[in-house]
Amino acid sequence: MTHTITAFERSPDGGMGLARDTRVRWAFEEVGQPYEVRPVSFAAMKEPPHLARHPFGQIPTYEEGELVLFESGAIIFHIASRYPGLLPDEANARARAISWIFAALNTVEPPILEIVTAKFQEGGKPWTKERLPLIADRIRQRLGQLSARLGEAEWLDGEFSAGDLVMISVLLRARPSGILNEFPRLAAYVARGEARPAYKRAFAAQLAFNTAEPPAG
Ligand code: GTB
């Protein structure tokens, strides 16, 4: 069965791997499944064919036969549930790995996204200068807690899992602000994720996709 995901026709980050198709590509690479990528322009994202796949007009989406999914977390959970390699077999360990997926998306990612919004969408607003340090402190609080839990461990709970994949993908978005590097254990954790062959393949694929010459004409 072919798996097709959608991605920005050209990611605004120029191939830094920060758009959310990268985490889905990484999941496919970890479980050794091939996938195809359908590029979507910003305009096409808001048109009916794409809105039928994604109610909020965003990427990534996932198609596999009749099944259409949206939300990167749901897509990664689906891939991890369907193919071995990203979730432990033992029931309690599996439940804990799933908790880490939710923790990454619901607890760690929101303050990180706030700083992106404050800088890039509200950068010119009069309150932004005062708001940024407040957001930065909220990120520091979460990263401090996460770092304390990780301790000297390699991964969050035993073997590398989908929980680590999503958490590392989320933490990567805190790197441009400089805050990630204030937490050496987390910076090293992210580097371990980036060193995985599956991550390297996913990163290279999105970079090639985002830097390819547009078709002539
Ligand atoms: N909760 C959803 C999920 O996890 O799948 C969020 C999906 C989402 O935010 N998608 C973004 C999107 O489609 C792309 S990833 N945006 C277009 C729109 O909403 O109209 C977010 C993103 C965008 C750009 C960069 N970048 O350039 O660095 C990084 C991340």
Side-chain angles (χ1 to χ4, degrees):
M1 185 75 77
T2 310
H3 311 102
T4 304
I5 64 168
T6 51
F8 284 132
E9 199 171 43
R10 270 283 186 279
S11 176
D13 72 3
M16 281 173 64
L18 298 177
R20 285 182 178 84
D21 59 294
T22 303
R23 54 183 79 171
V24 175
R25 292 171 184 268
W26 186 8
F28 276 123
E29 295 290 351
E30 288 285 350
V31 300
Q33 286 295 315
Y35 62 96
E36 292 178 1
V37 183
R38 185 185 310 120
V40 197
S41 69
F42 277 99
M45 258 180 234
K46 310 301 176 197
E47 287 167 6
H50 189 72
L51 287 170
R53 290 188 283 267
H54 196 308
F56 309 114
Q58 296 183 312
I59 61 97
T61 59
Y62 170 101
E63 288 154 76
E64 177 199 336
E66 300 281 291
L67 177 66
V68 182
L69 296 174
F70 61 98
E71 284 294 331
S72 59
I75 296 168
I76 291 165
F77 180 57
H78 174 73
I79 295 169
S81 303
R82 179 148 301 193
Y83 302 105
L86 278 173
L87 284 175
D89 291 331
E90 196 274 315
N92 288 353
R94 193 177 182 90
R96 289 195 303 272
I98 293 166
S99 294
W100 280 116
I101 299 178
F102 280 88
L105 297 173
N106 289 348
T107 305
V108 179
E109 193 167 47
I112 294 174
L113 291 184
E114 255 191 277
I115 210 163
V116 176
T117 306
K119 277 189 181 165
F120 299 106
Q121 285 163 21
E122 300 170 1
K125 302 288 184 197
W127 61 79
T128 299
K129 201 163 160 261
E130 283 183 70
R131 191 162 172 253
L132 278 173
L134 303 177
I135 302 172
D137 282 344
R138 286 203 284 277
I139 299 175
R140 285 189 186 100
Q141 187 191 7
R142 282 289 176 255
L143 297 199
Q145 292 164 323
L146 183 66
S147 177
R149 171 53 80 98
L150 179 68
E152 299 301 327
E154 189 176 17
W155 307 115
L156 287 168
D157 192 330
E159 295 291 299
F160 177 84
S161 78
D164 294 295
L165 186 154
V166 179
M167 187 65 82
I168 290 166
S169 300
V170 162
L171 292 175
L172 277 166
R173 291 203 71 187
R175 195 157 58 187
S177 68
I179 299 176
L180 178 66
N181 287 337
E182 294 175 22
F183 297 86
R185 281 177 181 163
L186 294 184
Y189 169 61
V190 168
R192 282 193 289 281
E194 290 178 300
R196 292 179 72 82
Y199 179 84
K200 288 186 180 171
R201 288 194 296 273
F203 185 88
Q206 69 75 36
L207 181 63
F209 188 86
N210 282 301
T211 53
E213 287 291 324

